[in-house]
Amino acid sequence: MTKRAVLALADGTTFEGRAFGASGETVGEVVFNTSMYGYQEILTDPSYVGQIVTMAYPEMGNIGANAADEEAGLPHAVGMVVRSLTKTPSNWRSQETLDAYLARHGRVGIEGVDTRRLVRHLRTHGAQTGIISTENVSPGALSERARAAAGMEGMDLATGVSCKEPYVFTTPSPDVFLAPGDKRPEPELKYDVIAYDYGLKRSMLQYLVDVGCRVTVVPSHFTAEQVLAKKPHGVFLANGPGDPAAVKGADRTVAALLGKVPVFGICLGHQIMALALGGRTYKMKFGHRGGNQPVKDLTTGKVEITAQNHGFAVDDASLKGKAVVTHINLNDGTVEGLAVPDARAFSVQYHPEASPGPHDARYLFSRFATLMAGS
């Protein structure tokens, strides 16, 4: 029997639909993603901690779910909103339905929602707190509770999702199209890299291994002294959730590393590097989430189509004289890349590993390896 569900936003707007996944209630910042595929990678991306993700593309669930496509061991998004949920997936890699996958992990979903209306509402009024409920509670009461819930600004979510102890990662990216029994040559691991886990995606580590890195993943609170004592060839600053300015001590730690070892940052790592340089970050109206964001490389004039997932951005005016802005978003002109050549450091706001998304920017992992080779 189909169960009714309600999505109530903090501004009083409500959407009715049908429940899928787990029953109950979930509260989080309601955001939207424009990707046409890759919902499992999106759900398991730790950057979605505390968020309810709305998929703008209408058909979801048609490839099911499988363990190989996870970016972490469980879904980090607290809820999911879709237009149409496929009950019978059709894909040779499927191990279970999306409905069963979310139910197994205790994540609440709502289907049958007019996601076009919802996305237009969020674009106009901004991302905001919402509640999905399968309980018999009035929509007005749910909106009241959503208004009372904490927002993303000032929230240090990265520390909570970071690993507790260091660990070594040496697994390259998978190739699901290899014939059974075939193996790719193992990469030669020439570079020892320290990766700060602010909520990193597994695929980032895999692409670092692909370019020859033996990666030691460390907690967000790992000190600069502890890093330098390991004598790494480079430091990687990963993605993660929440407000970059709220991550405890991260800016001071990175500031102490700049100039001493090559640094590469992605997404939250990019924002933290900007803060370490004395810059500022700010909350965006609805952010960038999807696999079709055009970014211009100002050093070459080339345009890349990129995967993105962020609700905060770097204030370019705050970095004048401190860093070179290397990339901009062609939709809204926001900062998408920074470089500090004298410190052998660079960062991008977007996701070169994609997962899901286009592969235009994967060369950046090789650029990091080249920077380490010359240090």
Side-chain angles (χ1 to χ4, degrees):
M1 180 178 176
T2 303
K3 193 171 186 179
R4 173 180 171 273
V6 174
L7 168 66
L9 301 182
D11 67 4
T13 307
T14 60
F15 299 80
E16 291 198 10
R18 299 176 295 276
F20 74 99
S23 295
E25 289 185 359
T26 188
V27 57
E29 183 185 44
V30 183
V31 299
F32 65 89
N33 189 301
T34 59
S35 294
M36 297 174 67
Y37 60 92
Y39 53 79
Q40 191 176 359
E41 291 96 323
I42 290 165
L43 288 168
T44 55
D45 180 349
S47 294
Y48 280 105
V49 166
Q51 293 180 322
I52 295 171
V53 59
T54 303
M55 299 303 295
Y57 189 72
E59 277 296 321
M60 288 293 137
N62 41 358
I63 61 169
N66 68 81
D69 285 346
E70 292 182 321
E71 288 294 337
L74 75 164
H76 283 282
V78 297
M80 188 179 194
V81 183
V82 304
R83 178 72 180 96
S84 177
L85 178 71
T86 300
K87 301 294 193 296
T88 308
S90 178
N91 185 276
W92 62 279
R93 299 171 67 228
S94 177
Q95 296 170 334
E96 60 184 325
T97 66
L98 176 57
D99 183 13
Y101 178 76
L102 287 183
R104 179 163 62 85
H105 288 288
R107 296 294 188 267
V108 181
I110 180 172
E111 64 157 323
V113 170
D114 183 348
T115 49
R116 177 175 292 187
R117 175 183 162 229
L118 175 55
V119 168
R120 288 171 67 90
H121 187 84
L122 295 175
R123 280 182 57 88
T124 301
H125 301 284
Q128 56 188 281
T129 305
I131 296 178
I132 301 175
S133 177
T134 66
E135 307 298 324
N136 188 22
V137 181
S138 74
L142 292 174
S143 288
E144 281 289 337
R145 283 162 47 196
R147 277 192 289 276
M152 279 287 167
E153 287 186 273
M155 293 280 281
D156 176 10
L157 299 177
T159 299
V161 78
S162 180
C163 62
K164 305 308 178 191
E165 298 291 338
Y167 65 92
V168 176
F169 190 95
T170 58
T171 305
S173 61
D175 189 338
V176 298
F177 300 108
L178 280 176
D182 286 356
K183 291 185 68 176
R184 288 186 307 179
E186 291 291 324
E188 180 186 356
L189 304 183
K190 298 181 289 185
Y191 309 110
D192 288 309
V193 169
I194 298 290
Y196 270 96
D197 180 8
Y198 302 123
L200 58 75
K201 295 168 63 180
R202 185 176 300 156
S203 55
M204 290 182 177
L205 300 180
Q206 292 169 340
Y207 289 119
L208 286 170
V209 173
D210 284 352
V211 297
C213 301
R214 179 185 297 101
V215 187
T216 300
V217 182
V218 300
S220 61
H221 58 73
F222 213 67
T223 67
E225 292 76 19
Q226 287 174 296
V227 168
L228 296 173
K230 291 182 177 291
K231 296 183 169 51
H233 294 96
V235 170
F236 175 68
L237 310 175
N239 66 302
D243 186 341
V247 184
K248 297 171 185 173
D251 55 344
R252 295 189 298 275
T253 298
V254 174
L257 293 170
L258 289 171
K260 297 184 176 68
V261 62
V263 174
F264 174 29
I266 292 177
C267 200
L268 187 77
H270 157 81
Q271 297 162 358
I272 288 172
M273 191 177 93
L275 293 169
L277 291 164
R280 294 187 300 271
T281 56
Y282 62 91
K283 182 82 164 64
M284 304 174 76
K285 185 175 182 181
F286 51 81
H288 298 156
R289 295 175 183 87
N292 58 354
Q293 293 281 335
V295 168
K296 184 175 183 179
D297 184 338
L298 299 178
T299 64
T300 65
K302 293 182 178 179
V303 175
E304 301 166 358
I305 304 302
T306 68
Q308 302 200 13
N309 172 21
H310 61 103
F312 290 80
V314 170
D315 177 4
D316 59 339
S318 69
L319 286 170
K320 285 185 178 175
K322 302 170 184 174
V324 178
V325 175
T326 56
H327 297 73
I328 59 168
N329 188 293
L330 291 181
N331 286 337
D332 58 13
T334 51
V335 175
E336 294 282 1
L338 297 171
V340 189
D342 292 343
R344 297 170 297 162
F346 71 101
S347 63
V348 289
Q349 179 65 77
Y350 52 96
H351 285 257
E353 84 290 347
S355 297
H359 302 170
D360 297 28
R362 283 194 181 163
Y363 68 89
L364 291 171
F365 292 99
S366 295
R367 178 182 291 180
F368 183 41
T370 300
L371 193 61
M372 290 187 289
S375 62

